[in-house]
Amino acid sequence: MADPSAPLLTHLEDEGTSPSLSFDKIFEQSLSGFTFPQFLQILLVGLALSFDSQQIFITVFTDAYPTWHCLDHTTCNPTTTDICELPRSAWEWDGGFKGKSAISEFELECSSSFLKGLPTSAFYMGSIVGGVFMAMIPDSFLGRKKLLFFTTLAMSLTGISIFFSSNIWTYALLKFVIGFARSQTGTYAINLISERVSTKWRPRATMIPFTLFVLGFMSLSGIAYLVRHASWRVLYLCTSVPAAIHSVFIYFFALESPRWLHVQGKNQEAIEVLTRLSPANGSYLESVSSRLHSKEQPPSSSIKDLFIRKWAFRRIVVVMIIMFGLGMMYYGVPLAVRDIKVNIYISEALNAAVELPTFVITPILLEKFNRRSSVLVNCLMGGALGVLCFVMTSFGRTNIAFALELGSFFCARIGFNLMAVYMIEMFPTCVRNFATTMLRQSLVLGGASCPIIASVGRNVPSISFAVFGFVVSGLGLFALLLPETKGSSLCDTMDAQEQSDQALKTSPSC
């Protein structure tokens, strides 16, 4: 028996002589700690989500309806007069600068709602189309790092090109391209991060990019304020140029997923990545690298495996059902908060603020409780809070209703965080990109149904909260059909995942 007081490397070397040595064991042992190089790599990759969030919410500022004032007060009053009923000589945009917004520059102030919202709609349409198209790209194609590089570079270069758009149609087309390009940025970044940390550190590591996503949204408000007197095009430059520079840093400095490299039969490159992530275990990794033989042919990673194997198909359908419900609550609750009759600016600011604590609470839930029970209880709690919000609003208890609204939104965010980690653990490396893509697509589809449901609240105040609550609670029950994955290491192939699921051990190793 090894001496407990012996150095870590001695234990690792002993393991290295064991006939049961596998890449998964090497991976877990060499990355058993959380090193500074790992943290820097997570920040480098996670920043992609910061720039992604800025492109998602940028039209809140660039396409805002600017304020105006009267030039002829005998026929004009800004508070009561419809601008479309006045001659152009009777009014002017505040500041005398029409380039402050795309609405004013392209003279859309009297256009249809469809035309005014066309750039934003085009962006989301591009995200949906891009999500479907890129989901078809095999996980063996290019790799995590290069796919992330190409998507962030395309997004940023298209954002820069918006500076030169000459009309609303060109602008909308470029927004569609941005949406298409960034549709899988989050998927590639989260998978790349999760596949470079050990099982122990995965819950905490995967929360860092989500935190950077929220911080990116918050920073957008500050950037927009600093350039508020400049053209709306400048805001695209201020967000897209740094994103382009960041994509170059990804290309030269980001490390590929060692798990992906191993699945492709590139074991030597995988060992080199592990050595750079954990320099202290370099001698151990060098000693065991010769024991890993490259495969003659990488394992098949056909997406059809997810539909042919009953366990995989059932699993992805259940995940999509749960995410559809969480998507309705996550996107719908902030949209329906206007029915509570509270200050819209304060309410939206607080909804954004309550997301930050979720990135601290989620790792605690993942480390202390089971995945399945955490998702189930969270969905039931979020649904109950949504229903209670409707009840309190009906009795005129606005403050209590708003607190319950924040609570339901809080649960929706935690639910998404939990499912993001859960999803990664339920599917092997060879199809993980596609499976994660389906999770995000169902989230978007759930959000797409929110405006219709939220509009019902105009006739029956806050009824939409009850609808969101019942839906997320009901669909959350499907979590009972999912396997428990707490403590399990990531699998690389479909066969390994299937064997792991059938094993009786609580913490299987693929």
Side-chain angles (χ1 to χ4, degrees):
M1 181 179 295
D3 181 5
S5 63
L8 172 62
L9 189 57
T10 303
H11 285 285
L12 294 176
E13 288 173 347
D14 291 341
E15 294 281 358
T17 60
S18 171
S20 62
L21 186 67
S22 65
F23 178 81
D24 186 69
K25 186 176 293 185
I26 294 173
F27 179 91
E28 291 292 333
Q29 290 179 341
S30 62
L31 299 181
S32 58
F34 190 69
T35 64
F36 186 65
Q38 280 180 289
F39 178 68
L40 290 180
Q41 285 289 318
I42 291 174
L43 286 182
L44 176 61
V45 173
L47 277 174
L49 272 74
S50 294
F51 296 113
D52 180 41
S53 68
Q54 291 177 346
Q55 292 302 324
I56 291 175
F57 299 108
I58 195 171
T59 52
V60 172
F61 303 99
T62 60
D63 297 8
Y65 199 99
T67 56
W68 57 280
H69 61 274
C70 295
L71 296 178
D72 184 359
H73 292 280
T74 60
T75 59
C76 173
N77 185 335
T79 59
T80 60
T81 307
D82 184 353
I83 192 175
C84 299
E85 297 178 354
L86 296 173
R88 186 60 182 85
S89 59
W91 61 274
E92 182 58 87
W93 299 113
D94 286 353
F97 178 51
K98 73 174 186 176
K100 208 171 179 182
S101 165
I103 297 293
S104 54
E105 180 168 328
F106 295 139
E107 300 181 346
L108 303 176
E109 59 272 10
C110 295
S111 300
S112 64
S113 299
F114 167 78
L115 201 58
K116 292 176 185 176
L118 182 61
T120 301
S121 300
F123 172 83
Y124 284 107
M125 184 60 67
S127 296
I128 294 174
V129 175
V132 174
F133 176 80
M134 293 188 181
M136 299 298 107
I137 299 178
D139 280 46
S140 60
F141 183 71
L142 291 178
R144 312 288 197 239
K145 169 187 169 180
K146 288 183 180 179
L147 284 172
L148 180 63
F149 163 70
F150 285 123
T151 55
T152 54
L153 181 64
M155 178 189 74
S156 56
L157 292 180
T158 308
I160 293 173
S161 65
I162 284 181
F163 185 84
F164 305 101
S165 57
S166 57
N167 54 63
I168 186 63
W169 304 106
T170 303
Y171 178 35
L173 176 62
L174 292 174
K175 289 295 293 183
F176 177 89
V177 176
I178 289 179
F180 186 96
R182 55 76 45 197
S183 59
Q184 294 307 310
T185 297
T187 296
Y188 298 148
I190 296 299
N191 285 341
L192 183 55
I193 289 173
S194 66
E195 292 172 4
R196 296 187 306 190
V197 293
S198 63
T199 301
K200 174 184 176 182
W201 292 99
R202 191 185 308 136
R204 303 182 190 182
T206 49
M207 291 303 105
I208 296 177
F210 290 142
T211 304
L212 292 172
F213 178 90
V214 176
L215 292 178
F217 174 40
M218 296 173 69
S219 68
L220 177 64
S221 300
I223 298 172
Y225 180 79
L226 292 175
V227 298
R228 63 190 183 282
H229 298 304
S231 169
W232 60 275
R233 303 168 187 267
V234 174
L235 187 57
Y236 276 101
L237 288 182
C238 290
T239 54
S240 300
V241 171
I245 297 173
H246 171 256
S247 66
V248 176
F249 273 80
I250 288 178
Y251 184 81
F252 287 105
F253 300 108
L255 300 177
E256 183 55 90
S257 162
R259 286 190 175 277
W260 182 85
L261 291 170
H262 168 63
V263 168
Q264 301 306 310
K266 302 177 181 179
N267 287 325
Q268 190 57 43
E269 293 181 39
I271 294 295
E272 291 175 2
V273 171
L274 291 175
T275 302
R276 294 181 64 180
L277 290 174
S278 183
N281 292 321
S283 58
Y284 160 70
L285 290 167
E286 184 178 355
S287 67
V288 299
S289 60
S290 60
R291 297 177 59 83
L292 288 171
H293 302 287
S294 298
K295 302 171 184 177
E296 294 182 2
Q297 183 178 3
S300 173
S301 59
S302 174
I303 296 172
K304 69 180 182 181
D305 286 342
L306 285 172
F307 303 96
I308 293 177
R309 304 191 187 219
K310 292 182 179 180
W311 65 267
F313 180 72
R314 180 176 63 251
R315 193 171 296 181
I316 201 166
V317 169
V318 169
V319 167
M320 291 183 67
I321 290 173
I322 296 172
M323 288 307 300
F324 181 84
L326 288 172
M328 285 184 63
M329 177 157 279
Y330 181 72
Y331 291 110
V333 165
L335 188 63
V337 73
R338 61 191 176 192
D339 298 333
I340 305 180
K341 308 302 181 185
V342 294
N343 185 289
I344 189 65
Y345 300 103
I346 295 177
S347 65
E348 293 301 325
L350 289 176
N351 274 300
V354 299
E355 290 196 64
L356 292 176
T358 66
F359 306 126
V360 176
I361 295 174
T362 302
I364 297 175
L365 295 175
L366 291 169
E367 292 171 3
K368 300 294 184 181
F369 304 98
N370 292 337
R371 309 290 195 252
R372 183 170 51 201
S373 58
S374 296
V375 172
L376 176 61
V377 172
N378 182 79
C379 289
L380 294 177
M381 286 183 58
L385 290 173
V387 174
L388 287 174
C389 179
F390 163 68
V391 174
M392 290 296 104
T393 304
S394 301
F395 285 102
R397 307 298 295 271
T398 301
N399 292 335
I400 298 178
F402 181 55
L404 293 169
E405 181 271 334
L406 291 175
S408 62
F409 182 71
F410 180 83
C411 289
R413 180 71 232 197
I414 286 186
F416 173 71
N417 295 345
L418 291 171
M419 287 301 299
V421 177
Y422 203 0
M423 185 78 171
I424 289 170
E425 296 173 345
M426 283 191 290
F427 291 91
T429 303
C430 61
V431 293
R432 190 169 293 124
N433 264 356
F434 177 80
T436 310
T437 294
M438 300 309 293
L439 176 148
R440 298 182 68 88
Q441 287 296 91
S442 57
L443 185 76
V444 172
L445 290 175
S449 65
C450 293
I452 300 174
I453 298 174
S455 64
V456 177
R458 297 178 181 178
N459 301 319
V460 183
S462 297
I463 187 64
S464 50
F465 287 107
V467 175
F468 297 145
F470 282 120
V471 169
V472 77
S473 295
L475 299 185
L477 294 173
F478 280 84
L480 294 171
L481 301 177
L482 296 175
E484 182 52 54
T485 62
K486 182 184 178 183
S488 64
S489 56
L490 299 184
C491 297
D492 294 321
T493 65
M494 295 293 284
D495 289 336
Q497 185 74 54
E498 193 168 311
Q499 293 171 7
S500 174
D501 293 340
Q502 294 174 351
L504 297 177
K505 296 181 179 179
T506 305
S507 302
S509 179
C510 306

